[in-house]
Amino acid sequence: MTAYQKYLASLDSCRTMAGSEYKASQEFLSRCDTTINDLSIDLKRVVDYASGSLATTSELRVGLQSIKDDLDKEYEALEEKRNYSLKNQKKRLGFFNVMLFGKTMSGKSTIREAITHGDGSTIGKGAQRTTRDVKEYEWNNLRIIDTPGFGAYDGKEDTEIAREILELSDVVLFLLNSDSIQDTTFTELEHVYKLNKPLIFVMNMKKDLESEGNRRRALKNPAKYIYKEDVIDGHVERLKDLASRAGMNPNNISVVAIHAQSAFLANKMQGEESKQLHELSNIDLLLKKLQKEVEVSGPVRRVQTFLDSTLHHIDTQRIILLSQRDRLDKLLEQYESSLGRVSQWQSKVERDLPKRLAQEVDSAFKPLVNSIADFVDDHIESKSPSKQWEIHCKKFNIPHKIEQATKDIVEEVSDEINEFQKEMKESLDITLSFEISHQGGSFDEADYRRINGWGAAITSVISSVAFLNAWNPVGWAVAGIAIAFSIFSFFSDSRDKKLKEAKSNQRKSLREEVEKRKSKIKESLMQWFKNDIQQGLVRPAKNNLLVLCHSIKEISQNLEEKEEKINNVAQEINIRLLHKVAFIITGEHFKIPRVKKIVRVPGYACYFIVDGYFRDSSLLRSLGLAMRENVRAVYDKDIKSKISHLYRGLVEEVSVFDEKSVEISVKKDNVGKVIGKDHRRIKMVAALCSCQINIISD
């Protein structure tokens, strides 16, 4: 079989793989849809229960409802994007898709015109953006997809279009401009890498050969005029630096230097000059590299396109659920802390305020009580003592004093509640800005689960939850305290004696009446305190916080449960990918024993635990080369054995304290290798072994 026949056979295999993996992707996504629908039902139940339990406040109901509504909207948006992707993938089932991706004016259209023998009508001049839409062409049984370039002024929409097509491509020709490699290249490198797309870097040497003189000089000495070694080496080093920052292995970076304009001009020329220009362009080297990629790895790339694309959408949803759960858990910590303070405050209010109210009443009445003796002396023989007493009482303004005291109490309680409200808002703001970070001391499975391998844009769904309540001071007026009393008539000879006795009796009577009035007012105030302060302000505040904490906890648990189910689907996708690639390599099914657990960061590494005998190191190496990942398998033994195997030659000692906590001793020089870039390696090891790993270094 010739090389070209192998190439065509590989394309046939690609079409077969595409059909089966497209169906598998649909099934995986359907299962995730069911999980999310179940989540929506569960959240509705929580919100409905909470709404019936909250104490006369609409803000919390709206806040809790917004959690459900925003998650629903978030998933609808993801579902729409996912369905759009599936629709486009279905259109391309019969093709191996090659994407031209690069900065604006990097030569994408020129290359496409050259390999498809176009007329050059879409090749840009100067700084204009020529490719504004996605254009697709067939060449050599491949689908060539030319996309808008990134990095142009006001070209955000172009960049988004190009990124959408990235997901559909099997191989990416990443076009670089020999004029310069800018930081915008790093941004897009990072994006491509997170989508785990195989890259062929193509450096287009920008030297205008339209004039005959320039062509003659270029053809005479290509190394001096076009392919200057020091220029190319400088750009390659710059690219390796950017690629390393994006997470790629710089040692795996290779660049094909071409002159796209020469390839296009060769199609327009005739005879020897056409051949010379074609050879000068280096386009055959690029095309051979692309054809070799299809011949050797085409079926694997097609499988990865479908399964990794599905994994991308599933992981995006999973990470959103994890992120929201983390945020809610952080918010719950704040609310539960406040709940403890509210409980203490409630006890203090219910213990101290009744005493204070009684003291306020006593204080308001004290001047009146002290004046009784003088009043009786002055009015004992008055013809209208009751009227005089009423006038006398009004001088002390007792109703106003008591009313003012109650208003002060209401304002103090309201201020305290408003302070709690303010703290809730502040804690919410803190939570919304909360970012998962790692200090590098201890690593566990949760860290791996939070690796955002796809760069998902996480948006907040709890922005409208706040501990809000506006309390209006309760105003009420104390009833008048005028007391009617009678005066004795004195007709006997013992008038002085009777007058003295009458004064004593009247003083006593007035004091008793005042005390009765005080008691009634205190009783009325206690009832008011119980109904309006305790039942109307304090306890509802605590009840709302209790309901909020309970609801957030239940929502968080639901998010965690559904995330776990979606994570299980992601595990199945990775296991399927492993078996599919093994089948493509060996032509045999079940070359890998049953996989009990797998952790994978696409484009970086894949670790899995096997249940059974497996000693095929050659297959593991082939899997790693095909998937472009570090593929490692371990037996389902104890934690110490698994960690020792995964860190063979790097770890001095492994100490297991219990089934969930491990300490590893590492030489200082090996700490970086043990942790890995962005802590990815140690997070994966901790996740695979389901434990927490602490590093001890000398």
Side-chain angles (χ1 to χ4, degrees):
M1 183 182 292
T2 65
Y4 193 70
Q5 288 174 327
K6 290 180 181 178
Y7 167 75
L8 294 177
S10 180
L11 287 175
D12 285 337
S13 179
C14 287
R15 284 186 281 271
T16 302
M17 288 293 177
S20 64
E21 299 318 295
Y22 177 77
K23 291 180 181 178
S25 296
Q26 287 181 307
E27 292 174 2
F28 285 128
L29 291 170
S30 177
R31 287 169 56 189
C32 288
D33 287 344
T34 300
T35 299
I36 295 300
N37 289 336
D38 290 344
L39 174 63
S40 183
I41 293 171
D42 289 343
L43 295 189
K44 183 179 185 304
R45 174 181 52 78
V46 173
V47 172
D48 288 347
Y49 171 79
S51 296
S53 304
L54 289 169
T56 61
T57 176
S58 61
E59 290 86 352
L60 291 179
R61 295 189 186 98
V62 172
L64 288 172
Q65 181 66 38
S66 73
I67 295 177
K68 176 187 178 302
D69 292 344
D70 289 345
L71 276 170
D72 286 344
K73 290 177 183 177
E74 190 71 37
Y75 191 74
E76 286 175 7
L78 289 173
E79 189 175 30
E80 181 180 354
K81 185 176 180 180
R82 180 199 74 195
N83 290 339
Y84 174 78
S85 175
L86 281 174
K87 181 180 178 181
N88 283 323
Q89 284 181 337
K90 189 175 182 179
K91 290 179 182 178
R92 297 170 174 83
L93 284 177
F95 294 95
F96 188 93
N97 302 287
V98 179
M99 179 181 180
L100 298 177
F101 185 71
K103 194 174 181 294
T104 299
M105 301 305 298
S106 60
K108 299 186 306 300
S109 296
T110 305
I111 290 177
R112 190 249 307 146
E113 291 274 8
I115 63 179
T116 61
H117 290 265
D119 60 6
S121 59
T122 66
I123 298 176
K125 301 293 182 183
Q128 68 198 68
R129 290 145 66 192
T130 55
T131 305
R132 300 302 306 275
D133 300 310
V134 177
K135 295 180 174 64
E136 301 187 23
Y137 305 86
E138 291 183 33
W139 171 80
N140 200 19
N141 294 286
L142 304 176
R143 176 67 61 92
I144 306 298
I145 308 173
D146 189 11
T147 60
F150 61 81
Y153 175 75
D154 196 26
K156 183 178 180 181
E157 183 181 352
D158 293 354
T159 301
E160 290 302 316
I161 292 172
R163 287 180 176 180
E164 286 179 3
I165 300 302
L166 270 174
E167 188 182 334
L168 309 174
S169 61
D170 300 306
V171 171
V172 176
L173 296 184
F174 199 116
L175 270 293
L176 304 166
N177 195 327
S178 65
D179 291 344
S180 66
I181 298 178
Q182 301 172 341
D183 280 346
T184 52
T185 300
F186 164 71
T187 303
E188 300 311 316
L189 268 178
E190 193 174 37
H191 191 78
V192 175
Y193 174 64
K194 286 178 179 178
L195 285 173
N196 193 31
K197 293 299 178 182
L199 294 173
I200 297 177
F201 289 100
V202 182
M203 182 172 294
N204 185 26
M205 310 306 293
K206 300 299 282 286
K207 199 73 172 181
D208 189 7
L209 301 186
E210 286 284 353
S211 72
E212 185 177 350
N214 286 345
R215 288 199 300 274
R216 210 167 37 245
R217 283 189 290 273
L219 291 172
K220 182 178 180 180
N221 195 340
K224 181 179 179 181
Y225 197 76
I226 302 288
Y227 302 107
K228 296 180 180 179
E229 186 176 350
D230 57 336
V231 173
I232 294 175
D233 288 346
H235 286 316
V236 170
E237 287 305 309
R238 167 74 168 153
L239 175 62
K240 286 186 175 182
D241 176 62
L242 294 176
S244 178
R245 284 166 50 193
M248 301 179 185
N249 185 345
N251 296 325
N252 294 335
I253 301 298
S254 62
V255 179
V256 179
I258 68 166
H259 192 275
Q261 188 189 44
S262 294
F264 173 71
L265 291 174
N267 294 336
K268 297 170 65 177
M269 303 288 182
Q270 300 292 327
E272 187 63 26
E273 188 175 16
S274 172
K275 293 179 181 178
Q276 290 176 338
L277 284 172
H278 185 82
E279 184 178 350
L280 175 69
S281 72
N282 246 1
I283 197 74
D284 282 345
L285 180 61
L286 171 61
L287 299 183
K288 286 178 182 178
K289 193 175 185 68
L290 179 58
Q291 187 167 309
K292 188 68 174 179
E293 173 72 14
V294 175
E295 179 186 332
V296 174
S297 304
V300 173
R301 299 291 174 256
R302 286 302 273 156
V303 170
Q304 285 181 306
T305 293
F306 286 98
L307 294 186
D308 276 347
S309 173
T310 305
L311 196 64
H312 163 52
H313 291 290
I314 289 177
D315 271 358
T316 300
Q317 183 61 56
R318 184 182 65 80
I319 291 167
I320 287 175
L321 297 183
L322 266 177
S323 175
Q324 303 312 342
R325 191 204 70 189
D326 288 340
R327 292 171 185 266
L328 285 174
D329 287 349
K330 188 69 176 177
L331 185 62
L332 184 61
E333 288 180 19
Q334 302 286 338
Y335 282 178
E336 286 181 332
S337 174
S338 293
L339 181 59
R341 292 180 55 235
V342 168
S343 297
Q344 292 178 350
W345 170 73
Q346 176 191 6
S347 298
K348 184 176 182 298
V349 167
E350 295 180 351
R351 180 187 70 241
D352 295 346
L353 283 191
K355 296 178 183 179
R356 180 177 165 188
L357 284 169
Q359 291 170 352
E360 294 287 354
V361 173
D362 288 339
S363 177
F365 273 91
K366 186 176 181 180
L368 176 62
V369 172
N370 292 340
S371 72
I372 288 176
D374 290 340
F375 178 83
V376 172
D377 287 343
D378 293 340
H379 298 88
I380 190 65
E381 296 182 279
S382 174
K383 293 180 179 180
S384 55
S386 295
K387 186 176 182 181
Q388 294 298 323
W389 176 246
E390 183 177 349
I391 294 171
H392 181 72
C393 288
K394 287 182 178 179
K395 294 178 182 177
F396 296 95
N397 208 8
I398 293 173
H400 175 74
K401 291 179 180 178
I402 296 177
E403 183 176 359
Q404 187 59 49
T406 59
K407 286 183 178 179
D408 289 344
I409 288 173
V410 172
E411 287 178 4
E412 287 179 22
V413 173
S414 299
D415 287 344
E416 197 70 38
I417 291 174
N418 287 333
E419 188 62 29
F420 284 124
Q421 168 186 316
K422 182 180 178 182
E423 289 181 11
M424 292 303 99
K425 289 181 179 179
E426 289 176 353
S427 69
L428 181 66
D429 292 338
I430 292 170
T431 302
L432 291 178
S433 63
F434 173 70
E435 296 292 339
I436 300 297
S437 61
H438 211 295
Q439 302 304 315
S442 179
F443 303 83
D444 58 26
E445 185 163 6
D447 293 317
Y448 165 74
R449 300 283 285 277
R450 293 186 182 95
I451 292 177
N452 188 350
W454 301 107
I458 305 303
T459 58
S460 173
V461 299
I462 57 175
S463 57
S464 58
V465 179
F467 187 61
L468 298 173
N469 261 317
W471 306 103
N472 294 318
V474 178
W476 64 273
V478 179
I481 56 175
I483 301 174
F485 63 98
S486 59
I487 301 296
F488 292 107
S489 296
F490 306 103
F491 299 105
S492 67
D493 293 336
S494 57
R495 183 178 182 279
D496 290 341
K497 181 180 179 181
K498 289 182 178 180
L499 183 60
K500 185 177 181 179
E501 184 179 346
K503 285 182 178 180
S504 177
N505 290 336
Q506 198 60 57
R507 290 183 190 117
K508 181 180 179 182
S509 176
L510 282 175
R511 288 191 180 97
E512 287 176 352
E513 289 298 325
V514 169
E515 287 301 323
K516 287 180 182 178
R517 177 59 60 180
K518 282 171 59 177
S519 295
K520 287 183 178 180
I521 290 175
K522 287 180 180 179
E523 183 180 342
S524 176
L525 285 175
M526 289 306 102
Q527 191 62 41
W528 166 80
F529 174 76
K530 180 178 179 182
N531 293 338
D532 289 26
I533 300 297
Q534 283 186 326
Q535 303 296 337
L537 293 179
V538 179
R539 291 182 182 176
K542 181 180 178 182
N543 178 74
N544 284 341
L545 198 49
L546 279 168
V547 172
L548 184 61
C549 286
H550 175 78
S551 300
I552 289 177
K553 187 178 295 184
E554 194 166 355
I555 291 173
S556 179
Q557 289 172 347
N558 276 303
L559 290 172
E560 183 175 13
E561 177 189 332
K562 299 308 185 290
E563 185 277 328
E564 181 66 34
K565 288 187 176 182
I566 292 178
N567 183 63
N568 290 339
V569 176
Q571 286 252 323
E572 291 183 39
I573 292 174
N574 282 323
I575 291 172
R576 180 182 179 90
L577 175 63
L578 205 61
H579 282 292
K580 278 288 181 180
V581 176
F583 170 73
I584 292 170
I585 293 171
T586 66
E588 300 178 37
H589 291 290
F590 310 115
K591 289 294 290 183
I592 300 173
R594 187 174 75 91
V595 177
K596 296 192 67 174
K597 187 173 184 179
I598 185 169
V599 295
R600 176 174 174 250
V601 176
Y604 174 70
C606 176
Y607 302 158
F608 59 96
I609 299 174
V610 293
D611 185 17
Y613 179 80
F614 184 65
R615 291 287 186 185
D616 199 339
S617 57
S618 176
L619 177 58
L620 286 177
R621 284 193 296 272
S622 297
L623 285 169
L625 289 172
M627 295 168 62
R628 296 172 297 112
E629 297 170 9
N630 179 13
V631 179
R632 304 285 298 274
V634 297
Y635 289 125
D636 190 21
K637 294 182 177 181
D638 57 273
I639 293 178
K640 183 174 182 178
S641 297
K642 286 187 283 192
I643 291 179
S644 297
H645 178 77
L646 289 167
Y647 281 134
R648 185 178 299 165
L650 295 176
V651 173
E652 299 291 303
E653 185 179 355
V654 178
S655 302
V656 181
F657 297 104
D658 54 52
E659 287 301 306
K660 293 293 182 181
S661 181
V662 177
E663 185 177 277
I664 58 176
S665 299
V666 183
K667 288 184 177 180
K668 189 175 182 179
D669 292 343
N670 289 331
V671 170
K673 296 177 182 178
V674 167
I675 292 177
K677 185 176 178 59
D678 297 327
H679 303 121
R680 286 180 297 193
R681 184 173 186 179
I682 195 167
K683 288 178 181 180
M684 291 180 67
V685 173
L688 190 70
C689 300
S690 300
C691 67
Q692 183 182 79
I693 298 178
N694 296 291
I695 300 176
I696 304 297
S697 63
D698 52 18

